[in-house]
């Protein structure tokens, strides 16, 4: 009897913005809460947020590069799970593929909110097992800081930005990293539990069509109590169905990674499944809820620490707006380790930002520029900003678009532009 084919995870990578926002930072910014209140109710101590000018596509590209660095597989398909695309149209995935040098492959966005990565993993698994593709790159990437109201205590304390990615190729079910079973579901009756009301075809974001809706309609709103109950029930049921398809007893699962939404939810699901605390893995304490990016970010974190032995029975489960939910059973992957000192979770390299600051201080006589400072606030006119762009282009051997040399651009956003140009240069 011939071995059974499967899609197998060959590479794992991630990217987190370099800006950390702690609970204390939120309180200082005026949010009506406390560090103890947030920790007790969510398990979150900090989250990462992008600087102005950094997009979901930027994070996705960096995470994908980190994943591709751990394997020799060249993807024939790219799926980007996200709720925060760079633009409503076109999809962000083809641009990410292009920046990776993958200009000839199918690439598309997938929107299933916090369940997005599991949905995308299931889709890629189907493509590979059907023979439609031999390999795939699956990315979960989000910049929720762009859609969360900073004054809304229900959401501002939860969400962070980041991206995680996995590379899959055709292999055997007996290999470490093999996807063995998936379970997906949805219930549109709960669509209003997690929703951005404006911005779609029903309520376009124009001054006339927003009336009688207020400006908060462009932000994410969540019914926390309803989401909690649905998340616990749906993830538990989905996980049980997935385990049953493989005849895996819950106590045989050696690695459990749930969507990093809320530590209470994660514990409630794991307790109901009967999975021991020692086998539960996550990073919500440090990065918060990163929606579709949360599971691949947690996977990359555990892989980087070598905390799970390759081949270990693994269960993933997620719940998101829609309502959507899903689970996947696999064996823990065995990607090649990253090279020493490889920045697994970073966006702008410190060398880029540090060089920019040094240039501003020495060439343009700017005193202690900060990432959020605009060039107008630093006293630079439009010609000076163009000269800055030319100098940066010469130093890094890159091409910067002079049309983006806007005095209202921030220092942090400029560093991201340089990093993006360096990525595209290869």
């Amino acid at each position: 009897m011939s071995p059974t084919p499967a899609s197998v995870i060959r590479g794992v990578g991630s990217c987190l913005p370099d800006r950390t926002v702690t609970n204390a930072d939120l309180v200082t910014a005026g949010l009506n809460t406390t560090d103890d209140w947030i920790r007790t109710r969510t398990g979150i101590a900090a989250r990462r947020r992008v600087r102005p000018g950094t997009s979901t596509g930027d994070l996705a590209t960096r995470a994908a590069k980190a994943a591709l660095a751990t394997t020799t597989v060249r993807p024939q398909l790219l799926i980007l799970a996200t709720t925060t695309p760079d633009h409503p149209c076109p999809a962000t995935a083809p641009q990410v593929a292009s920046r990776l040098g993958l200009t000839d492959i199918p690439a598309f966005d997938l929107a299933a909110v916090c369940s997005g990565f599991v949905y995308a993993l299931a889709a890629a698994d189907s493509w590979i097992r059907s023979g439609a593709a031999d390999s795939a790159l699956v990315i979960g990437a989000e910049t929720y800081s762009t859609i969360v109201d900073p004054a809304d205590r229900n959401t501002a304390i939860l969400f962070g930005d980041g991206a995680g990615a996995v590379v899959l190729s055709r292999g055997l079910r007996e290999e470490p990293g093999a996807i063995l079973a998936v379970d997906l579901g949805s219930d549109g009756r709960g669509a209003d539990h997690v929703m951005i009301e404006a911005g779609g075809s029903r309520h376009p974001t124009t001054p006339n069509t927003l009336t009688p809706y207020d400006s908060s309609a462009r932000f994410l709103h969540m019914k926390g109590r309803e989401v909690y109950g649905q998340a616990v029930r749906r993830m538990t049921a989905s996980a049980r169905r997935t385990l049953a398809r493989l005849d895996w007893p819950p106590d045989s699962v050696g690695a459990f990674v749930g969507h990093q939404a809320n530590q209470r939810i994660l514990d409630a699901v794991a307790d109901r499944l009967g999975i021991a605390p020692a086998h539960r893995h996550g990073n919500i304490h440090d990065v918060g809820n990163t929606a579709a990016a949360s599971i691949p970010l947690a996977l990359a974190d555990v892989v980087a620490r070598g905390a799970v032995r390759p081949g270990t029975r693994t269960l993933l489960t997620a719940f998101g707006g829609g309502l959507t939910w899903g689970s996947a059973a696999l064996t823990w992957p065995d990607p090649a380790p990253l090279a020493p000192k490889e920045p697994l979770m970073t966006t702008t390299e410190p060398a880029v930002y540090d060089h920019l600051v040094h240039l501003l201080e020495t060439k343009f006589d700017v005193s202690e520029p900060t990432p959020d400072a605009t060039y107008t606030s630093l006293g630079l006119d439009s010609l000076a900003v163009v000269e800055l762009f030319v100098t940066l282009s010469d130093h890094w051997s890159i091409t910067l678009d002079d049309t983006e040399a806007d005095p209202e651009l921030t220092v942090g956003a400029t560093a991201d532009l340089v990093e993006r140009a360096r990525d595209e240069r290869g």
Side-chain angles (χ1 to χ4, degrees):
M1 186 175 182
S2 60
T4 306
S7 57
V8 179
I9 295 176
R10 307 293 187 184
V12 180
S14 63
C15 169
L16 284 169
D18 61 359
R19 179 186 170 212
T20 299
V21 178
T22 66
N23 295 342
D25 292 332
L26 295 179
V27 175
T28 301
L31 196 63
N32 181 25
T33 187
T34 65
D35 174 63
D36 181 67
W37 192 93
I38 298 173
R39 287 175 185 261
T40 301
R41 286 160 177 78
T42 70
I44 299 171
R47 69 285 298 145
R48 300 292 189 91
R49 290 185 178 168
V50 296
R51 300 185 188 279
T54 300
S55 73
T56 293
D58 297 333
L59 300 185
T61 302
R62 296 283 291 179
K65 285 191 172 185
L68 290 168
T70 67
T71 178
T72 59
V73 173
R74 184 186 187 278
Q76 297 179 355
L77 166 71
L78 189 153
I79 306 176
L80 172 60
T82 187
T83 313
T84 54
D86 288 5
H87 308 281
C89 176
T92 303
Q95 299 170 58
V96 173
S98 178
R99 291 171 65 178
L100 295 170
L102 304 172
T103 56
D104 58 346
I105 68 170
F108 58 89
D109 291 0
L110 188 152
V113 197
C114 298
S115 303
F117 178 78
V118 175
Y119 265 66
L121 191 68
D125 175 58
S126 295
W127 276 58
I128 292 173
R129 286 189 296 102
S130 71
D134 289 329
S135 55
L137 174 60
V138 178
I139 310 169
E142 303 284 14
T143 51
Y144 259 59
S145 61
T146 64
I147 61 171
V148 167
D149 183 351
D152 179 6
R153 189 173 71 166
N154 292 325
T155 56
I157 65 172
L158 295 175
F159 292 98
D161 304 333
V166 299
V167 181
L168 302 98
S169 70
R170 183 175 290 113
L172 303 176
R173 290 175 67 89
E174 294 75 20
E175 292 185 74
I179 310 298
L180 302 177
V182 296
D183 175 82
L184 304 175
S186 71
D187 185 353
R189 293 172 297 178
D192 64 345
H193 290 8
V194 182
M195 177 177 281
I196 300 174
E197 193 170 9
S201 60
R202 186 169 298 281
H203 299 302
T205 49
T206 66
N208 291 333
T209 55
L210 269 178
T211 307
Y213 302 96
D214 59 39
S215 61
S216 70
R218 67 185 179 89
F219 291 123
L220 178 78
H221 291 278
M222 186 171 66
K223 297 181 179 179
R225 190 171 301 172
E226 290 87 341
V227 167
Y228 185 101
Q230 286 278 3
V232 172
R233 285 191 288 269
R234 300 296 194 178
M235 284 198 288
T236 301
S238 177
R240 283 174 174 160
R241 286 192 295 270
T242 304
L243 295 177
R245 287 171 186 168
L246 298 173
D247 291 325
W248 281 6
D251 60 7
S252 74
V253 174
F256 171 77
V257 181
H259 163 51
Q260 306 292 292
N262 181 305
Q263 191 61 54
R264 284 185 171 183
I265 293 175
L266 289 166
D267 289 340
V269 173
D271 287 345
R272 282 165 172 76
L273 292 173
I275 295 175
H279 298 156
R280 306 173 189 179
H281 299 278
N283 54 4
I284 189 172
H285 179 271
D286 300 312
V287 304
N289 181 347
T290 54
S294 77
I295 286 180
L297 275 171
L299 287 175
D301 178 57
V302 178
V303 166
R305 292 186 287 108
V308 175
R309 180 175 54 83
T312 298
R313 289 185 175 184
T314 301
L315 176 65
L316 314 178
T317 188
F319 175 87
L323 301 170
T324 59
W325 56 86
S327 300
L330 59 145
T331 51
W332 192 263
D334 187 20
L338 291 172
K341 299 182 180 179
E342 176 74 16
L344 181 65
M345 296 184 179
T346 184
T347 50
T348 301
E349 293 185 24
V352 172
Y353 180 76
D354 291 346
H355 173 74
L356 175 56
V357 169
H358 176 73
L359 188 62
L360 288 169
E361 291 177 338
T362 57
K363 184 179 178 66
F364 295 92
D365 198 28
V366 172
S367 178
E368 297 183 355
T370 63
D372 296 330
T374 65
Y375 294 115
T376 296
S377 69
L378 296 175
L380 274 64
D381 60 20
S382 58
L383 291 179
V385 179
V386 171
E387 171 61 22
L388 174 65
F389 268 46
V390 172
T391 305
L392 289 168
S393 298
D394 291 343
H395 178 83
W396 295 107
S397 299
I398 57 176
T399 301
L400 293 176
D401 187 351
D402 289 345
T403 62
E404 295 190 77
D406 186 343
E408 296 307 313
L409 191 69
T410 66
V411 176
T414 305
D416 288 324
L417 286 175
V418 172
E419 182 59 35
R420 194 153 57 237
R422 294 177 75 225
D423 284 344
E424 292 169 354
R425 181 195 64 194

